[in-house]
Amino acid sequence: MSEKVLYQDYVLGDMMLRYIRETDSGHIAMVLIPGGEETCYQERRSQLRHRDLTCSAWEPGSLCHLSLRHHAQGNGAGNTLKYGESTERLKYVSQSKAENEKQIIIATRLKADEGYEVRHTVTYTKGEKGIEIETCFQNLTDRPMVLDMLTSFSLDNLSPFQKDDAPYKMKLHRFRGGWSLEGKHCVDTVEELNLESSWFRGFPESERYGGLGSHPVKRWFPFGCVEDTEHHTYWAAQIEAGSSWQMEFSRDGDCYSLSGGLADCEFGGWWKEVGPGESFTAPGAYVSVSGESLWDVCQNITDMFHKYADAQLECEKDLPMIFNEWCTSWGNPTHDSMLAIAEKVEELPVSYVVLDAGWSSKEKEDHDPQGSNGDWEYDTKKFPYGLRQLSHEMQERGLKMGIWMEFEVTTQGAKVHSGSWDPMHLHRNGQVIQTGKIRRFWDFRQPEVTEYLTEKVIDFLRENEISYLKVDYNGSIGYGCDGAESPGEGLRAQMEAVRAFYRKIRSELPDLVIENCASGGHRLEPSMMKLTAMSSFSDAHECDEIPYIAADLHCLIMPRQSQIWAVISPELTIREIRYRLVSAMLGRFCLSGEIAKLSDDQWDEVKKAAAFYEKVKWIIKDGRSVLFRDSTDNHHHLRGMQALLRNRDDEEILLVCHAFARPPEKLCGELPEGEWKVKECIGEEGRLTIREGGFEIRPQGEWEAFAVHLVRA
């Protein structure tokens, strides 16, 4: 090891956090290492040479990358704002460690001679397998500075186990978004991304991807994972992405860098003016490393959110079952239809019956259940006795009532949608932002908006004794809005104000369960997952692809927060009903459909599934998942089969199996050591054979499913 490079190591559970500092330049970076394995930075070549040209082959890197407008950008402008003068000027000042019973906090201070600083804080919660990172920029000069880019995290010098430029050894893992297409895994080699090293270090190259607007999970989840295939090591990160965001997988010299944060001025139209003495904190990042697998490192991150979910309501800790009437009335609920549902689900362990879209009054009769959003007055024709009376009648049956709202928007037909209310809506380039012909967006930065919604949402929920709130959000405002120094900053500030209103709801209604829905899964990102009890996994209501999507999401959100539709209708066969009910075992059980019209045999299947869910929901809550899949990847035309195994402390297992079209003859998978036996099941258990160290499934037909609860023999 060069005397000019110093290491500072911190043991954090099964990980080692290593800081790499170059004394000459004052630059410092970090890397997570599984199990304290040795790095080989000291064995790397130091220079690249071509004829009379020389340049460094690798450098320590930085804890963060930033770009200030008055500084020269790096040579990657148009492709990346990393590696510019603003980052180069940052020098190490100090580092401190604080420890208490629950956490270890490592704070590093970086400063530029010009007078700006970065405070980089790593928080490790004991017992977890990942870290949380906060990056704060501080302007200590006497003049304003404009940030064009600031990362939330940066893992430079990947891979620490490679001595050269690692040809054919590095991969980038990502997960795609999409409406009713959430969570598809994609993996690319460095060579496929065209990020392999070139003959000289001319320009930094970067794969920059992300999401724009207030539907942040649009084409990608805010996630990235770098794999060293030779050393079987995975570095993964998720970032809080309430607004536009970006991730970058970059090459500069022999090494690779994974970083992420707010979408910068090039990618997302964001820049931020920070005045003298002011600071700006980037969205949080969640980072982990694993020497096992992609699924392991992903769940290292998602498991970090147990502490936030546990901070929700006490009644949420046992994952109660939900009935949502959307797929019963399809936007036309009434007092009588809700009571008919309540009478039927009294036979099930359902806690909440949710009244979905179509309950509010409209100035004009139309067939759009989402029309007239914003006035939030119930339809007296559909609910002649009022919603409070309906809540009371639900409570008499041992049920709690929920309701659907889309309170961030107004839609055509509402009194507050236009006219004198226009100034309270978001604008871009001086014009009110409108999407889908009918949807406009409240400006939550205005006190008048939150005052209005306090009455129309919070007071309404309190007065009508609503116990469950499903918050939908069916449009994105796009890349930005007026009211700040940049469109992207307007969007960021708007979404921060929205989250502040969520916190206000929680403060004033501490017993309210809140569901996060945005056309299904368009807000499945950390900042919203921390604020809400659970999320709609997708708008896939009656689709064969439900188990495929739900299984993929185990890598991105905790199943205890992933609400899965199980829509049961009288025209379905018993096999089709089982397929849908078994899908619900991949997360939170949300029943819907015309259950009052089911035959006795059909209803028996529902009751069996509900009883099974009650017995295995602790595995759903606390287990760890592995997916065995042999299938195609066209969501809507699936062929093949999958089995998701969820293991709780090596003591009990939930195995959820689905055959699609043209399933293989068999599907095999591994089990933890020891002997296992079937305790409970729903569906076609006879398809399963348990052998020493594994299982084998032989499907008998297409579109069949079963779930099995295994315990130690």
Side-chain angles (χ1 to χ4, degrees), residues 1-2 7 38-47 57-58 160-165 254:
M1 179 178 64
S2 168
Y7 292 168
E38 285 302 314
T39 60
C40 59
Y41 293 123
Q42 64 274 25
E43 300 174 48
R44 285 180 171 166
R45 58 182 176 178
S46 60
Q47 288 186 326
W58 77 280
F161 309 124
Q162 295 293 343
K163 301 176 184 178
D164 54 16
D165 56 345
D254 281 351

CSV table of all heavy atoms in Angstrom, one decimal, residues 1-2 7 38-47 57-58 160-165 254:
chain,number,residue,atom,x,y,z
A,1,MET,N,0.8,-1.2,0.0
A,1,MET,CA,0.0,0.0,0.0
A,1,MET,C,0.9,1.2,0.0
A,1,MET,O,1.8,1.4,0.8
A,1,MET,CB,-0.9,0.0,1.2
A,1,MET,CG,-1.8,1.2,1.3
A,1,MET,SD,-2.9,1.1,2.8
A,1,MET,CE,-1.7,1.2,4.1
A,2,SER,N,0.5,2.2,-0.8
A,2,SER,CA,1.3,3.5,-0.9
A,2,SER,C,1.1,4.2,0.4
A,2,SER,O,0.1,4.2,1.0
A,2,SER,CB,0.8,4.3,-2.0
A,2,SER,OG,1.3,5.6,-1.9
A,7,TYR,N,-6.1,4.0,5.0
A,7,TYR,CA,-7.4,3.4,5.2
A,7,TYR,C,-7.9,3.7,6.6
A,7,TYR,O,-7.1,3.7,7.6
A,7,TYR,CB,-7.3,1.9,5.0
A,7,TYR,CG,-6.9,1.4,3.6
A,7,TYR,CD1,-6.6,0.1,3.4
A,7,TYR,CD2,-7.0,2.2,2.5
A,7,TYR,CE1,-6.3,-0.4,2.2
A,7,TYR,CE2,-6.7,1.7,1.3
A,7,TYR,CZ,-6.4,0.4,1.1
A,7,TYR,OH,-6.1,-0.1,-0.1
A,38,GLU,N,-10.2,-8.6,2.0
A,38,GLU,CA,-9.1,-7.7,1.7
A,38,GLU,C,-9.3,-7.1,0.3
A,38,GLU,O,-9.6,-7.8,-0.6
A,38,GLU,CB,-7.7,-8.4,1.8
A,38,GLU,CG,-7.2,-8.7,3.2
A,38,GLU,CD,-7.1,-7.4,4.0
A,38,GLU,OE1,-6.5,-6.5,3.5
A,38,GLU,OE2,-7.6,-7.4,5.1
A,39,THR,N,-9.0,-5.8,0.2
A,39,THR,CA,-9.0,-5.1,-1.0
A,39,THR,C,-7.6,-5.2,-1.7
A,39,THR,O,-6.6,-5.6,-1.0
A,39,THR,CB,-9.4,-3.6,-0.8
A,39,THR,OG1,-8.5,-3.0,0.0
A,39,THR,CG2,-10.8,-3.5,-0.2
A,40,CYS,N,-7.5,-4.8,-2.9
A,40,CYS,CA,-6.2,-4.9,-3.6
A,40,CYS,C,-5.9,-3.6,-4.3
A,40,CYS,O,-5.3,-3.6,-5.4
A,40,CYS,CB,-6.2,-6.0,-4.6
A,40,CYS,SG,-7.4,-6.0,-5.9
A,41,TYR,N,-6.3,-2.4,-3.7
A,41,TYR,CA,-6.0,-1.2,-4.3
A,41,TYR,C,-4.5,-1.0,-4.5
A,41,TYR,O,-4.0,-0.4,-5.5
A,41,TYR,CB,-6.5,0.0,-3.4
A,41,TYR,CG,-8.0,0.1,-3.4
A,41,TYR,CD1,-8.7,0.0,-2.1
A,41,TYR,CD2,-8.8,0.2,-4.5
A,41,TYR,CE1,-10.0,0.1,-2.1
A,41,TYR,CE2,-10.1,0.3,-4.4
A,41,TYR,CZ,-10.8,0.2,-3.2
A,41,TYR,OH,-12.1,0.3,-3.1
A,42,GLN,N,-3.7,-1.5,-3.5
A,42,GLN,CA,-2.2,-1.2,-3.5
A,42,GLN,C,-1.6,-2.0,-4.7
A,42,GLN,O,-0.4,-1.7,-5.0
A,42,GLN,CB,-1.6,-1.6,-2.2
A,42,GLN,CG,-1.7,-3.1,-1.8
A,42,GLN,CD,-3.1,-3.4,-1.1
A,42,GLN,OE1,-4.0,-2.7,-1.3
A,42,GLN,NE2,-3.1,-4.5,-0.4
A,43,GLU,N,-2.3,-3.0,-5.2
A,43,GLU,CA,-1.7,-3.8,-6.3
A,43,GLU,C,-2.1,-3.3,-7.7
A,43,GLU,O,-1.6,-3.9,-8.7
A,43,GLU,CB,-2.1,-5.3,-6.2
A,43,GLU,CG,-1.7,-5.9,-4.8
A,43,GLU,CD,-2.2,-7.3,-4.6
A,43,GLU,OE1,-2.1,-8.1,-5.6
A,43,GLU,OE2,-2.8,-7.5,-3.6
A,44,ARG,N,-2.9,-2.3,-7.8
A,44,ARG,CA,-3.3,-1.7,-9.1
A,44,ARG,C,-2.2,-0.9,-9.7
A,44,ARG,O,-1.3,-0.3,-9.1
A,44,ARG,CB,-4.5,-0.8,-8.9
A,44,ARG,CG,-5.8,-1.6,-8.6
A,44,ARG,CD,-7.0,-0.6,-8.5
A,44,ARG,NE,-8.2,-1.3,-8.4
A,44,ARG,CZ,-9.4,-0.8,-8.1
A,44,ARG,NH1,-9.4,0.5,-7.7
A,44,ARG,NH2,-10.5,-1.4,-8.1
A,45,ARG,N,-2.2,-0.9,-11.0
A,45,ARG,CA,-1.3,0.0,-11.8
A,45,ARG,C,-1.7,1.4,-11.5
A,45,ARG,O,-2.9,1.8,-11.3
A,45,ARG,CB,-1.4,-0.3,-13.3
A,45,ARG,CG,-2.8,-0.1,-13.9
A,45,ARG,CD,-2.8,-0.4,-15.3
A,45,ARG,NE,-4.1,-0.3,-15.9
A,45,ARG,CZ,-4.4,-0.6,-17.2
A,45,ARG,NH1,-3.5,-0.9,-18.0
A,45,ARG,NH2,-5.7,-0.5,-17.6
A,46,SER,N,-0.7,2.3,-11.4
A,46,SER,CA,-1.0,3.7,-11.0
A,46,SER,C,-1.2,4.6,-12.2
A,46,SER,O,-1.8,5.6,-12.1
A,46,SER,CB,0.2,4.2,-10.1
A,46,SER,OG,1.4,4.1,-10.9
A,47,GLN,N,-0.6,4.2,-13.4
A,47,GLN,CA,-0.7,5.1,-14.5
A,47,GLN,C,-1.0,4.3,-15.8
A,47,GLN,O,-0.8,3.1,-15.9
A,47,GLN,CB,0.7,5.7,-14.7
A,47,GLN,CG,1.1,6.8,-13.7
A,47,GLN,CD,2.4,7.5,-14.1
A,47,GLN,OE1,3.3,6.9,-14.7
A,47,GLN,NE2,2.5,8.8,-13.8
A,57,ALA,N,-4.2,5.9,-13.6
A,57,ALA,CA,-5.1,4.8,-13.9
A,57,ALA,C,-6.3,4.7,-12.9
A,57,ALA,O,-7.4,4.3,-13.2
A,57,ALA,CB,-4.4,3.5,-13.9
A,58,TRP,N,-6.0,5.2,-11.7
A,58,TRP,CA,-7.1,5.2,-10.7
A,58,TRP,C,-6.8,6.2,-9.6
A,58,TRP,O,-5.6,6.6,-9.4
A,58,TRP,CB,-7.4,3.9,-10.0
A,58,TRP,CG,-6.4,3.4,-9.0
A,58,TRP,CD1,-5.2,2.9,-9.2
A,58,TRP,CD2,-6.6,3.5,-7.6
A,58,TRP,NE1,-4.5,2.7,-8.0
A,58,TRP,CE2,-5.4,3.0,-7.0
A,58,TRP,CE3,-7.6,4.0,-6.7
A,58,TRP,CZ2,-5.2,2.9,-5.6
A,58,TRP,CZ3,-7.4,3.9,-5.4
A,58,TRP,CH2,-6.3,3.4,-4.8
A,160,PRO,N,-13.3,-3.2,-5.5
A,160,PRO,CA,-12.1,-3.2,-4.7
A,160,PRO,C,-11.2,-4.4,-4.8
A,160,PRO,O,-10.1,-4.5,-4.3
A,160,PRO,CB,-12.6,-2.9,-3.3
A,160,PRO,CG,-14.0,-3.5,-3.3
A,160,PRO,CD,-14.5,-3.2,-4.7
A,161,PHE,N,-11.8,-5.5,-5.4
A,161,PHE,CA,-11.1,-6.8,-5.5
A,161,PHE,C,-10.4,-7.0,-6.9
A,161,PHE,O,-9.9,-8.0,-7.1
A,161,PHE,CB,-12.1,-7.9,-5.3
A,161,PHE,CG,-12.9,-7.7,-4.0
A,161,PHE,CD1,-14.3,-7.7,-4.0
A,161,PHE,CD2,-12.3,-7.5,-2.8
A,161,PHE,CE1,-15.0,-7.6,-2.9
A,161,PHE,CE2,-13.0,-7.3,-1.6
A,161,PHE,CZ,-14.4,-7.3,-1.7
A,162,GLN,N,-10.5,-6.0,-7.8
A,162,GLN,CA,-9.9,-6.1,-9.1
A,162,GLN,C,-8.6,-5.3,-9.2
A,162,GLN,O,-8.6,-4.2,-8.7
A,162,GLN,CB,-10.9,-5.6,-10.2
A,162,GLN,CG,-12.2,-6.5,-10.3
A,162,GLN,CD,-11.9,-7.9,-10.8
A,162,GLN,OE1,-10.8,-8.2,-11.4
A,162,GLN,NE2,-12.9,-8.8,-10.6
A,163,LYS,N,-7.6,-5.9,-9.8
A,163,LYS,CA,-6.3,-5.2,-9.9
A,163,LYS,C,-6.2,-4.4,-11.2
A,163,LYS,O,-5.2,-3.7,-11.3
A,163,LYS,CB,-5.2,-6.3,-9.8
A,163,LYS,CG,-5.2,-7.1,-8.6
A,163,LYS,CD,-4.1,-8.2,-8.6
A,163,LYS,CE,-4.2,-9.1,-7.3
A,163,LYS,NZ,-3.2,-10.2,-7.4
A,164,ASP,N,-7.1,-4.6,-12.1
A,164,ASP,CA,-7.0,-3.9,-13.4
A,164,ASP,C,-8.3,-3.4,-13.8
A,164,ASP,O,-9.2,-3.1,-12.9
A,164,ASP,CB,-6.4,-4.9,-14.5
A,164,ASP,CG,-7.2,-6.2,-14.6
A,164,ASP,OD1,-8.4,-6.2,-14.1
A,164,ASP,OD2,-6.7,-7.1,-15.2
A,165,ASP,N,-8.6,-3.2,-15.1
A,165,ASP,CA,-9.9,-2.7,-15.5
A,165,ASP,C,-11.0,-3.7,-15.6
A,165,ASP,O,-12.1,-3.4,-16.1
A,165,ASP,CB,-9.7,-1.9,-16.9
A,165,ASP,CG,-9.2,-2.9,-17.9
A,165,ASP,OD1,-8.7,-3.9,-17.6
A,165,ASP,OD2,-9.2,-2.5,-19.1
A,254,ASP,N,-9.5,2.9,-14.6
A,254,ASP,CA,-9.7,1.5,-14.4
A,254,ASP,C,-10.9,1.1,-13.6
A,254,ASP,O,-11.3,0.0,-13.6
A,254,ASP,CB,-8.5,0.9,-13.7
A,254,ASP,CG,-7.3,0.7,-14.7
A,254,ASP,OD1,-7.5,0.8,-15.9
A,254,ASP,OD2,-6.2,0.4,-14.2
